[in-house]
Amino acid sequence: MRPLSLKTKFAAAVGIAALAVGCSTAPIKKTEDAEAAKASRVYLDSVLPLPVSSRLVSDVICAVPAEAQKPAPGEKSGPSKDWKKLIAYANACAKAKSWGTLDTIAQALARADLNSPWGAYFQSLAAEGIGELQRAMWMADLAQKKAGGRAGLFAYQKGRILFAMKETARAMTEVQHAVELDSRLVDGHLFLADVYRRDLEPDRAVASYKEVLKNEGDNYRALTTLAELSLERGANAEAIEYYSKAVHAHPAQLQAWLRLAYIYETVQKNGAQALVTYRDLKMSIDRGSVRERPDFDLNAKIKALEQAIQASRAPAQAKAAIQGQPKSVKK
Amino acid sequence: MAALIATLASTLALTSTALAAKKTQPGDSGVERELRFKEGDESGNEVKALKTELLVIKSEKKALDQLLRLEKKYKNTRMEAEILFRLAELYMRRARSERFFEVHRNSERIMTFAPQLVKDASESAEIRKAIAHYQRIQERFPRFHSMDTVLFNNAYAFQQINDDKGAEALFAKLVKEHGSSSLVADSYLSMGEIRFKARDFTGALAHFKQIRRFPRARVYPYGLYKAAWTHYNLQDATSGMQQLEEVIKFGREVAQNGWDSKLDLRKEALNDLALFYTEVRPSIQAVDYFMAQARELDASVYSMRLVELYKRHSRYNDVEVVLKDILAKLPKGEATASAHEELVWNYDRTKRQSFAVTQLAAFDDFCTQTQLDAAKNLKKGQVAPRLECQDKIADTSKRLAGKWHGIWKKAYGFTTGNGGQDIAASADRAYRLYLKSVGGKDVDQPSIRYAFAELLFARKEFREASENYAALGTFQKAGGKIEQKISQDAAYAAIVSLEKAVGDKWSDPDEKRFGELSEWYISRHPEGPYSLELRFKRAFIAYEKERYDDAAPQFKKIGWAPEYVKPGATIPERVAKAQDLYLDILNIKKDYKAIKESAQILLSATSASTAAPRTAHIEKIYREAYFAEIQTREEKGDLAGAVEAYKKFALENAASELAPKAWWNASQLQFRMGDATGGANTCYQMHKIFPKSPNGRECLTKAANTFESMGRLDLAARVLLNLSEVEVENQSKWREVAADFFAMSGSKDRAITMYLKLAEVKKSDAMVALLDKAATVANEMATTGGDTKRLAEIEKLFTDKNIEPQASRLVVEQAEALFEKGDHTKAFNVAKRIISKESLPKSILARARFVQARVLEDEYRKQSVKAKVERVGQVLAIKTEKLEKAQKALQSAIRYGDPTVSVKALHRLGDCYVDYAKTVRSMTLPATVAAADREAFKNEIEQLAIPMEEKGIESMNQALETAKKAQLRDGQIADLQAEVNRLNLKPATAIMTVAGPQIYLPVFRYSQEVMQ
């Protein structure tokens, strides 16, 4: 077992105290502990941080496995035999929001693998789940310590807790630190981007959304929001590009089809490209790729655009075609 | 006549036979054999002597009866004188028998056999009868043919009854009247002796000188001899020496001529010459003188006589001179050995022990040479007889060695220095000479050898001492008798000496010798006081030479002997040591199990009352072995077993100083095994079981670390409380951390209580910090559980103690709460309580002022503008006044510079302005008022509303900018923007809601590995 804070006696005690209660006001420390990082590496390197909503998170049912009661192995023998299994069950319980069971598994993890940060992390999630935010924060900090201060996920968790505490500014700082440590935390980028966008800081919002795309190039929300932000500042071509990517990556998303078509048709006055988009949408619907239906008559719209295009070649005909524009295709 | 002669002949023959029976050696007669004395049979011999006397008396009586009858028969005849002479001789003879009984008058045995004879015995009576008969002859037969003999015998009889005067007269008569008698010289001798006896030396000398006239007389040399002595007594030793020299010379002639050897008085003369010599001549010439006088006789003997005389007069120098001369000039003399011996003693008398012992050695050499010389004459197979000189050497050396040893011992023997080494060395040599020369019959030999060994030991000649002590054992083994105590002491002393000789390192031969000696002691004295010691030592030597397999069973046999290993037994030191060393060997062999078992046997057998310190010692060993056994188990990798064993040990031996260490080891092993929970729990228990353990602090710290690391803050908190008791100097710190952990692990109320208690003893900032923590936890309780009691308690403390800004912050919060409840007046007044405290943080003051502003804003908003025409102006004025009040208050709040309050205040202010514009625009005059007036009124109102509306938009924009500048992330920026847009008549857009980021979970790259 590695020495922890109490080993350094008084100074450590002060540190614990600050973590325990004063964490809501104390500055976030970014100190790193190479030794702790080395000890916990085996627990961190083999996993990927994925959002709870991911279908990859767990395929087991939340329960306390028998392995949680097993005696722990010797320190020198490395990680316990069952730690991965315990994490799988913990993930399932987190996903199921079964906080009590999660806490039990988390304690088993903490007991069996003292160098592993996962016990503390899941304890943090369990505490957060039942509203024990101070405790959740302390556990997240403990997890971060065990990770040597280098794990983005635990900073991200602290950001989440701070946000729940309505400490949005501090939450942003922590999340920012989290994504700097681990840019795979796409939801961190999205969170920052959303706040910036809400608080009328479009440039920082764009930068954050783009960070999302760096890690997840087909992120639908990033693509569509970036498209809208581009549109707001008149960068129509850019908006078209983002929506195009969104449609390409998420062809089932009807709204993206419609906004792309709208920009072509209304903003750029490019009826031909709008027609192509509507036609592609129709094909997708016909193939079943898009299950939603627009609140207007798509066939009529296509027909109207075809007529308008013909009319543009013969202006009299074109006027009549324009009169059939649907109202619902607005932002 | 012929018959008479025949009768006398037979009577005399009878008498002669009777006399002869007393004088002659036993013959073949049965009576003689019966009367022969037996050596050593004192009482038997006495009886035999009595029987002999009785036989003689019987014969004498017969002879006397016969003679008395003859006297009567031949009375007044020529035969009467002859018969009287025979009777006188017979009475003289009987006097001797009477003397026998007189002498044995005190003998009970003689008295038993012949009481009357003893009672009646009288020698003098018989002599007087003889005298009477001699007198009758002298008187009645003056011409008796043997008158000179009668006179001589009569004189002799007078001498026997001590009548020297009468005797002297008779001797004189004989000399005078019978000058040609052969008894004249004898008579002179007798008269000289009577004078000599009467110390009339001159008279005596005159008589003795007369003898010189009769050189053929038997008494001639004796006369010379007596004359010498008379000279000596007349203080004329020189003349005396001359007389003696004459005696010697005469004696030499007698010898040379083959005369009667009785006349050769050389030996007596030479002997007495020594006395005279000392008077007149120097010692240096003595030996030469005596050699000259003695000639063919051995001068050493007479020289030694001289030595005796010098010695008697303590003339030791003269003694030494003569003795040295004897040894030099008479090396083969009869008395040479005595000279050697005497010289030894002379040196000793003069306190020259080294000379003495050197001389003793010379004596020994002399004796040895003598023996060698004697051996040359022995036939093959013949054993040389023991020489007298050997006995002398043995005796002398024995006595001197003992004496010198005693002196040395008394003077130096008990000191540690080297004093008296000369005398000690002399004693040493003397002992050696003794042991060399002593024969097998000296009963003192064992004790002398023992004494010699003692001396050697005292002189630190340990090895030789050992050999000599041991020699007694050999002596005893060969059948020699030794006193039990000496035997026992010697046997042990031989071993002790060997030990001393060996020192620290035991060679194999020495060890073997030790074994032999100790075996000798133990076999002969199995219950001896040193038997145990020796058995121990034998084992100990093997132990020291690291032959543990040899030593161990021996130690075990001693240390675990049933007579010692039983309740109430007193454990001798050696037994205890044997136990210790046996256990030590087991320890060296790391056989802790055996140590434990052996110690347990001792513990179960001994009682605390009799051997408490020993029991404690064994207990200690038992525990250490027990402990070590567990350590071995641990080293072999049985960690779980070791943990269990350590704990068992600790609980079973709680009083042992190893107990806390065992408990500590158990905890550390658990940690090492990865059973951190178990380890931490063990540490937690350690404080309760072994509160004074030196590892207590470390263990508790580790437990706290572990529980903390596991996120078990509830357990960590409890451990920290214990740690605060151990680490008193940091007590408050650990309690505070414990309170922190309690707060986070659900025990909020307990945490608050601890914070408050800790705050009681703290000052200023530290106290406030603790109260802040308590307030934070209490606030959580109030927020999540609705329990505001503890919060109120803490707030009261802030207030009572006037702790700022906490107290004022509470006032503000109270005002805000009151406002939210609608109790605006009270809210306003509460806020007013702190508004004048300029020292407070601006944020607090801003909030307080903002509460007041909200109250005033509310008053403004409540102020109705509905009124009758005549009161429109007044109502409007009131509304405007209210607005101004609210405006001032809000602006005042903004001026404090707190961004949050400023943004809110600007927002409220802008809202007020817009509201005012809207309100005044809504004012209309009734239809009864002229249309023109109504139009004019409307225009006036519009003039009033437009700038207010513009101010409203401006304030709202200011609020937005301030919010942006302050980067307020609570969503106000979006709200304000929406409001600004609304006021600017822009289309309304949905306000974006930011959701918290979703949970992320660790997912394995290769999920198929997970469930295997």
Side-chain angles (χ1 to χ4, degrees), chain A residues 10 73 111 121 134 146 156, chain B residues 673 709 733 780 998 1000:
Chain A
F10 178 65
R111 189 171 62 237
Y121 178 66
Q134 294 286 3
K146 291 189 177 194
Y156 174 82
Chain B
M673 290 162 60
S709 183
K733 278 178 286 185
E780 277 184 7
Q998 65 174 327
Y1000 264 65

Side-chain angles (χ1 to χ4, degrees), chain B residues 460-714:
Chain B
K460 298 183 171 48
E461 299 288 343
F462 298 119
R463 190 168 292 278
E464 204 178 354
S466 175
E467 288 164 5
N468 277 279
Y469 283 127
L472 291 171
T474 310
F475 175 78
Q476 198 172 21
K477 209 177 281 183
K481 290 185 178 176
I482 305 179
E483 192 183 329
Q484 168 74 6
K485 187 177 184 310
I486 288 182
S487 167
Q488 191 165 306
D489 288 353
Y492 181 64
I495 295 157
V496 173
S497 304
L498 181 64
E499 282 184 73
K500 293 264 188 188
V502 167
D504 295 334
K505 298 277 181 184
W506 285 83
S507 67
D508 290 345
D510 283 338
E511 187 186 355
K512 186 184 173 194
R513 180 65 178 152
F514 181 87
E516 291 165 359
L517 293 174
S518 56
E519 191 55 44
W520 167 47
Y521 180 94
I522 294 164
S523 62
R524 291 194 71 88
H525 313 287
E527 302 301 322
Y530 305 111
S531 181
L532 172 63
E533 173 72 25
L534 295 177
R535 286 194 291 133
F536 173 83
K537 183 69 183 183
R538 205 153 55 181
F540 187 72
I541 292 169
Y543 169 82
E544 283 197 319
K545 294 176 85 173
E546 299 183 357
R547 292 205 324 276
Y548 301 127
D549 289 339
D550 286 348
Q554 296 182 62
F555 282 138
K556 183 81 190 284
K557 197 172 176 185
I558 297 167
W560 278 259
E563 63 263 36
Y564 302 125
V565 185
K566 64 182 179 184
T570 303
I571 307 291
E573 184 191 344
R574 284 304 177 205
V575 173
K577 189 75 178 167
Q579 292 171 350
D580 289 347
L581 291 175
Y582 176 68
L583 294 172
D584 185 51
I585 290 170
L586 294 177
N587 186 44
I588 290 166
K589 292 180 172 181
K590 298 189 184 301
D591 190 351
Y592 304 117
K593 189 181 175 193
I595 297 175
K596 197 175 87 174
E597 289 168 358
S598 300
Q600 204 158 29
I601 291 169
L602 297 178
L603 288 174
S604 61
T606 52
S607 64
S609 60
T610 54
R614 182 69 190 156
T615 303
H617 177 66
I618 298 297
E619 275 177 354
K620 188 168 180 284
I621 291 171
Y622 167 77
R623 287 166 180 162
E624 285 172 352
Y626 193 166
F627 194 85
E629 187 189 7
I630 302 169
Q631 284 179 318
T632 306
R633 199 169 176 179
E634 179 188 336
E635 283 164 13
K636 286 179 180 172
D638 181 11
L639 303 187
V643 167
E644 192 181 342
Y646 273 132
K647 286 189 174 182
K648 187 167 181 276
F649 171 87
L651 295 173
E652 284 177 359
N653 301 277
S656 164
E657 59 187 20
L658 286 173
K661 194 173 180 212
W663 198 264
W664 161 257
N665 283 4
S667 72
Q668 297 311 297
L669 273 185
Q670 286 178 294
F671 283 123
R672 208 168 83 188
M673 290 162 60
D675 183 10
T677 313
N681 277 325
T682 303
C683 280
Y684 179 58
Q685 290 166 339
M686 184 172 182
H687 175 68
K688 298 183 185 310
I689 303 170
F690 305 108
K692 292 181 180 175
S693 165
N695 300 114
R697 179 186 298 197
E698 191 180 348
C699 209
L700 284 172
T701 305
K702 195 155 187 174
N705 271 325
T706 305
F707 285 135
E708 178 201 352
S709 183
M710 291 191 306
R712 290 302 306 270
L713 301 185
D714 52 340

Side-chain angles (χ1 to χ4, degrees), chain B residues 119-396:
Chain B
K119 193 177 175 183
D120 298 340
S122 172
E123 181 192 14
S124 60
E126 294 301 315
I127 292 171
R128 286 180 198 285
K129 286 177 185 172
I131 288 170
H133 281 79
Y134 286 131
Q135 292 289 42
R136 282 172 64 187
I137 296 169
Q138 284 176 238
E139 290 167 4
R140 290 181 58 204
F141 304 102
R143 291 191 177 274
F144 181 64
H145 63 89
S146 294
M147 184 54 74
D148 59 339
T149 305
V150 170
L151 288 170
F152 189 84
N153 287 357
N154 197 18
Y156 175 74
F158 271 99
Q159 275 187 299
Q160 296 304 303
I161 60 172
N162 295 318
D163 187 353
D164 286 344
K165 199 174 178 180
E168 196 172 15
L170 288 168
F171 284 129
K173 188 176 180 181
L174 186 152
V175 169
K176 187 179 176 183
E177 294 176 358
H178 303 279
S180 58
S181 170
S182 63
L183 293 172
V184 172
D186 293 271
S187 298
Y188 276 122
L189 180 63
S190 296
M191 285 190 290
E193 283 183 333
I194 289 167
R195 288 291 93 210
F196 193 93
K197 186 181 170 188
R199 302 195 67 77
D200 176 12
F201 298 114
T202 307
L205 185 60
H207 290 302
F208 293 139
K209 279 183 175 177
Q210 289 297 320
I211 298 171
R212 294 179 71 87
R213 293 189 290 119
F214 308 98
R216 298 284 180 180
R218 287 176 58 88
V219 296
Y220 175 76
Y222 192 66
L224 293 176
Y225 176 78
K226 290 298 289 187
W229 272 104
T230 311
H231 280 298
Y232 180 78
N233 280 294
L234 288 168
Q235 309 298 320
D236 183 5
T238 304
S239 297
M241 281 182 71
Q242 289 169 354
Q243 290 291 307
L244 289 176
E245 286 167 5
E246 280 190 54
V247 174
I248 293 165
K249 189 179 174 186
F250 181 79
R252 196 174 300 121
E253 285 177 23
V254 168
Q256 285 171 350
N257 294 318
W259 299 337
D260 186 353
S261 62
K262 289 180 182 173
L263 300 175
D264 184 1
L265 296 178
R266 281 181 296 173
K267 290 182 180 175
E268 290 79 1
L270 284 165
N271 220 29
D272 293 344
L273 193 56
L275 175 64
F276 299 177
Y277 186 91
T278 60
E279 299 284 328
V280 293
R281 303 282 282 273
S283 59
I284 193 72
Q285 298 168 358
V287 173
D288 288 338
Y289 174 77
F290 279 96
M291 285 173 73
Q293 289 299 319
R295 295 199 186 175
E296 68 273 21
L297 296 180
D298 187 354
S300 68
V301 176
Y302 311 106
S303 299
M304 282 306 293
R305 166 71 178 148
L306 186 64
V307 167
E308 281 299 317
L309 293 169
Y310 281 139
K311 191 169 75 176
R312 200 174 295 162
H313 294 97
S314 303
R315 290 169 60 181
Y316 300 125
N317 287 339
D318 292 329
V319 169
E320 185 178 343
V321 167
V322 174
L323 289 171
K324 281 181 173 173
D325 244 9
I326 294 171
L327 297 178
K329 295 169 182 171
L330 299 165
K332 304 278 186 183
E334 186 185 332
T336 304
S338 299
H340 271 292
E341 183 188 5
E342 194 54 52
L343 185 55
V344 172
W345 285 108
N346 198 58
Y347 282 132
D348 178 61
R349 281 185 216 103
T350 52
K351 316 284 185 199
R352 289 177 292 170
Q353 289 89 354
S354 61
F355 283 73
V357 79
T358 303
Q359 172 54 34
L360 194 58
F363 186 15
D364 182 60
D365 292 343
F366 162 79
C367 194
T368 305
Q369 188 57 48
T370 306
Q371 195 172 27
L372 289 171
D373 293 344
K376 288 174 187 170
N377 301 321
L378 293 175
K379 291 177 183 172
K380 195 176 180 182
Q382 193 175 3
V383 180
R386 181 170 174 79
L387 300 179
E388 188 185 353
C389 64
Q390 289 177 295
D391 289 338
K392 282 180 181 289
I393 292 168
D395 184 59
T396 305

Side-chain angles (χ1 to χ4, degrees), chain B residues 326 365 419 465 475 771-772 833 885 949 966 996:
Chain B
I326 294 171
D365 292 343
F475 175 78
L771 291 176
D772 276 342
R833 277 161 39 193
K885 283 183 179 177
E949 196 172 49

Side-chain angles (χ1 to χ4, degrees), chain B residues 17 47 152 271 292 437 500 689 793 796 799 940 986:
Chain B
T17 306
V47 172
F152 189 84
N271 220 29
S437 57
K500 293 264 188 188
I689 303 170
E793 182 187 347
K796 188 171 184 302
T799 307
E940 283 297 323
K986 287 184 180 178

Side-chain angles (χ1 to χ4, degrees), chain B residues 720-734:
Chain B
L720 286 169
L721 284 180
N722 288 335
L723 185 60
S724 73
E725 291 172 15
V726 175
E727 206 171 295
V728 180
E729 66 273 20
N730 290 322
Q731 192 172 64
S732 60
K733 278 178 286 185
W734 295 129

